[in-house]
Amino acid sequence: MNENYEPKGPYISAKAAAEYAGYSYDHFRQLVKKYRIPRRGPSKVRFALSDLDEWMLNPNFFCEVPVASKRKRKFKTVKIKVG
């Protein structure tokens, strides 16, 4: 996502957002999870029209999140003498 990007309203409900994007409500809910479309408002139940416009132009707009590198653990095998 562009660092200079600022969402702009109006803010609409999920059902209205699904209709605006041309999807059924259930399918739109799946797309919100898959493409990480941000939810706005105090209860996080609204979508900004500017977010939906950006997402429709470039579906991966909100997916481009920097991935933190994970440290790999190194294990050492130790032989145990029995007996």
Side-chain angles (χ1 to χ4, degrees):
M1 178 167 48
N2 185 349
E3 292 177 12
N4 298 327
Y5 175 75
E6 295 258 347
K8 295 179 184 139
Y11 298 93
I12 57 177
S13 68
K15 287 185 180 185
E19 186 176 320
Y20 179 77
Y23 295 104
S24 70
Y25 175 69
D26 291 331
H27 186 66
F28 181 73
R29 286 179 44 209
Q30 294 171 354
L31 293 173
V32 168
K33 291 178 187 177
K34 180 178 178 181
Y35 291 103
R36 300 181 184 172
I37 303 170
R39 297 174 184 171
R40 308 288 180 180
S43 299
K44 304 290 185 201
V45 295
R46 301 280 179 183
F47 294 89
L49 282 184
S50 62
D51 288 346
L52 296 174
D53 291 337
E54 286 295 334
W55 172 71
M56 287 190 288
L57 289 173
N58 177 12
N60 293 320
F61 185 76
F62 297 107
C63 289
E64 297 168 2
V65 176
V67 178
S69 62
K70 292 183 179 180
R71 290 179 38 193
K72 293 185 178 180
R73 293 182 180 179
K74 294 182 180 180
F75 292 97
K76 185 175 181 180
T77 304
V78 179
K79 293 183 180 179
I80 300 175
K81 292 181 181 180
V82 179

